[in-house]
């Protein structure tokens, strides 16, 4: 540019056609693994028992990348950068055998290290479980290999001492053109999402679920993918406070439903008990409106430091008054301004049942996902066409699972039919 004489770099918008073609190509490449995965797994499983230590380490690393979705990991200057770790850079100190001291034939290893963006990866893997042994999964052999690779080594030594990222990446390219650890992660993320969603669709009573309940099941499937890919986030104080507030509101709704049922019971039994009515809060509303207007006026006129402080204090006071008014409204939302009919009470009880159900789902969703970053896998690893097809099959609005940013980014995926599947056939589309 002609002001500072420096180069300017421009990035294409997420919703641009070039980005869309790149994303589509990425997911289609991952889909190619659907047709090659059995052959790849057969190849590395055979080499898990190789007499050559180099071949055995390469096969074990392939198993880890495929089944545990670890990144390759590369060498770095830890004085300049954070000591983040991937498969090839695992050290003996990152593995803890039999972490719970169970002894016997225990096949557990606790893996603990900093992954990409210094996110903690801490999982206890039971290599003897059905998840890793059924269908000749070779989990127990991988466990034995790890023991062998760590034997007589210092805690700071590399587990895969005969393997480098270059050797591993070159090997991946010989198996399939363009294959990398990221392609494995994209494949496993997409396949896991599709399999989990299909399980829920085949479950008894699925068709009777509401759209909101189906979205909860979708988020559960999304969470499985996020856990697989170690997409985490730290829980903020604001999140904890939101959960506490929602919990209190839920209890209030349940109490209100009990009161409504008691009113209905008295009406049904002909008991002439006075029905509580809403308190008139017009005076409180006027006070809050005046306080907010006063705060706004003080902010506009404030010039000195003292005036600005006074304006801020007035603003905080007004907002607190508004909050308290909202709480007062909420506590008497279930009541009427004049005495209701029996039908009105019955209708309100049904409404409150729906409100409670919806809030319970909301709390469960927020609590289950407070430590898991669902958005990362949605944006970068799960083929968006799986989600679009699922929404169409199940009459769920796409905005319930994709934000506007995601809908813009994946506009190329929106036209897929409801029966669309992530498989090797779509890989032929390029």
């Amino acid at each position: 540019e002609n002001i500072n004489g420096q180069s300017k770099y421009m990035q294409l918008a997420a919703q641009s056609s070039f980005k869309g073609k790149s994303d589509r190509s990425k997911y289609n490449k991952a889909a190619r693994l659907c047709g090659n995965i059995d052959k790849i797994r057969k190849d590395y499983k055979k080499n898990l028992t190789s007499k050559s230590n180099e071949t055995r380490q390469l096969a074990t690393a392939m198993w880890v990348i495929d089944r545990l979705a670890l990144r390759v990991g590369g060498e770095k200057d830890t004085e300049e950068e954070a000591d983040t770790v991937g498969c090839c850079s695992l050290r003996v100190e990152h593995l803890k055998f039999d972490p719970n001291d169970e002894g016997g034939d225990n096949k557990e290893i606790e893996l603990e290290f900093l992954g990409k963006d210094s996110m903690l990866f801490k999982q206890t893997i039971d290599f003897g479980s059905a998840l890793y042994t059924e269908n000749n999964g070779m989990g127990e052999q991988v466990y034995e290999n790890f023991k062998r690779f760590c034997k007589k080594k210092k805690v700071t030594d590399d587990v895969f001492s005969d393997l480098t990222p270059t050797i591993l990446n070159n090997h991946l390219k010989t198996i399939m053109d363009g294959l990398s650890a990221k392609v494995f992660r994209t494949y496993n993320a997409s396949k896991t999402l599709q399999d989990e969603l299909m399980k829920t669709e085949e479950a008894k009573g699925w068709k009777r679920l509401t759209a909101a309940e189906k979205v909860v099941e979708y988020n559960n499937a999304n969470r499985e993918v996020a856990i697989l890919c170690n997409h985490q986030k730290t829980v903020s104080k604001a999140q904890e406070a939101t959960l506490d507030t929602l919990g209190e509101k839920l209890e209030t709704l349940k109490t209100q439903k009990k009161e409504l049922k008691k009113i209905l019971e008295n009406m049904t039994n002909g008991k002439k008990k006075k029905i509580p009515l809403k308190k008139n809060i017009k005076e409180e509303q006027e006070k809050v409106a005046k306080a907010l207007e006063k705060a706004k006026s003080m902010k506009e006129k404030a010039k000195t430091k003292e005036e600005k402080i006074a304006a801020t204090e007035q603003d905080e006071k007004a907002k607190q008054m508004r909050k308290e008014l909202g709480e007062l409204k909420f506590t008497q939302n279930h009541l009427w301004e004049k005495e209701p009919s029996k039908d009105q009470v019955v209708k309100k009880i049904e409404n409150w049942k729906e409100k409670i159900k919806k809030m319970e789902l909301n709390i469960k969703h927020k609590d289950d996902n407070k430590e898991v970053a669902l958005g990362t896998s949605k944006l970068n690893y799960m083929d968006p066409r799986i989600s679009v097809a699922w929404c169409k099959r199940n009459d769920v609005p796409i905005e319930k699972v994709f934000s506007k940013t995601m809908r813009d980014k994946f506009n190329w995926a929106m036209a897929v039919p409801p029966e669309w599947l992530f498989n090797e056939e779509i890989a032929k589309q390029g």
Side-chain angles (χ1 to χ4, degrees), residues 207-246:
K207 290 184 179 178
R208 292 197 299 273
L209 296 183
T210 63
E213 289 168 329
K214 287 176 180 176
V215 170
V216 170
E217 294 302 325
Y218 174 89
N219 288 331
N220 289 340
N222 190 172
R223 187 167 63 255
E224 289 300 315
V225 176
I227 291 168
L228 172 73
C229 296
N230 196 44
H231 293 149
Q232 300 179 44
K233 63 182 178 184
T234 51
V235 184
S236 66
K237 288 182 180 178
Q239 279 178 299
E240 293 288 6
T242 300
L243 279 170
D244 290 343
T245 302
L246 286 173

Side-chain angles (χ1 to χ4, degrees), residues 12 50 52 54 78 81 92 117 139 176 207 209 254 285 298 323 353 366 402 429:
L12 292 167
S50 171
S52 162
E54 291 87 347
T78 53
E81 300 175 80
V92 176
D117 298 327
M176 189 184 98
K207 290 184 179 178
L209 296 183
K254 287 179 176 178
Q285 287 174 323
M298 287 175 72
K323 183 185 173 186
K353 282 180 183 176
K366 286 183 184 293
F402 278 173
Q429 299 169 15

Side-chain angles (χ1 to χ4, degrees), residues 86-311:
C87 180
C88 291
S89 46
L90 280 172
R91 298 190 294 273
V92 176
E93 63 188 316
H94 299 135
L95 281 70
K96 187 177 180 182
F97 293 85
D98 191 11
N100 299 313
D101 296 320
E102 293 177 19
D105 59 352
N106 184 275
K107 294 284 190 293
E108 290 181 346
I109 299 177
E110 184 185 78
L111 290 172
E112 184 176 358
F113 56 87
L114 291 181
K116 187 181 176 183
D117 298 327
S118 296
M119 269 297 172
L120 178 68
F121 182 101
K122 186 175 182 179
Q123 289 184 27
T124 299
I125 314 296
D126 184 358
F127 291 88
S129 68
L131 179 63
Y132 300 117
T133 56
E134 64 183 8
N135 300 321
N136 192 31
M138 303 285 283
E140 291 185 353
Q141 183 58 52
V142 172
Y143 175 84
E144 294 303 324
N145 285 355
F146 272 122
K147 282 186 77 174
R148 173 176 169 157
F149 301 154
C150 294
K151 197 173 181 182
K152 295 180 181 177
K153 282 184 180 178
K154 296 175 185 174
V155 291
T156 53
D157 287 345
D158 288 337
V159 174
F160 295 103
S161 49
D162 298 321
L163 185 65
T164 64
T166 306
I167 293 170
L168 181 52
N169 284 322
N170 288 340
H171 176 69
L172 290 170
K173 285 169 190 171
T174 63
I175 298 170
M176 189 184 98
D177 183 41
L179 183 60
S180 65
K182 185 164 185 178
V183 175
F184 262 110
R185 283 167 69 83
T186 306
Y187 162 79
N188 279 318
S190 298
K191 191 76 170 62
T192 300
L193 177 70
Q194 183 166 273
D195 290 348
E196 290 295 320
L197 291 177
M198 282 185 161
K199 274 187 213 170
T200 59
E201 287 179 88
E202 290 163 6
K204 193 177 177 182
W206 171 256
K207 290 184 179 178
R208 292 197 299 273
L209 296 183
T210 63
E213 289 168 329
K214 287 176 180 176
V215 170
V216 170
E217 294 302 325
Y218 174 89
N219 288 331
N220 289 340
N222 190 172
R223 187 167 63 255
E224 289 300 315
V225 176
I227 291 168
L228 172 73
C229 296
N230 196 44
H231 293 149
Q232 300 179 44
K233 63 182 178 184
T234 51
V235 184
S236 66
K237 288 182 180 178
Q239 279 178 299
E240 293 288 6
T242 300
L243 279 170
D244 290 343
T245 302
L246 286 173
E248 289 167 8
K249 283 190 172 183
L250 179 62
E251 289 307 310
T252 301
L253 287 175
K254 287 179 176 178
T255 303
Q256 289 172 342
K257 191 182 84 170
K258 282 182 187 174
E259 287 178 21
L260 289 168
K261 282 191 165 184
K262 191 67 181 173
I263 291 169
L264 180 63
E265 185 186 321
N266 290 337
M267 291 174 89
T268 305
N269 296 334
K271 290 181 181 178
K272 292 189 177 181
K273 284 199 172 184
K274 191 176 179 183
I275 295 172
L277 300 176
K278 274 185 182 178
K279 292 176 184 175
N280 190 331
I281 57 170
K282 192 176 178 182
E283 191 178 325
E284 284 82 356
Q285 287 174 323
E286 287 173 356
K287 282 181 183 177
V288 170
K290 283 179 183 176
L292 288 168
E293 190 59 40
K294 184 181 177 182
K296 185 182 175 183
S297 176
M298 287 175 72
K299 272 187 172 182
E300 288 170 355
K301 293 176 182 176
K303 289 180 182 178
T304 66
K305 185 180 176 182
E306 289 76 15
E307 286 173 341
K308 286 176 182 178
I309 291 170

Side-chain angles (χ1 to χ4, degrees), residues 28 62 403:
N28 285 358
M62 287 285 293
S403 64

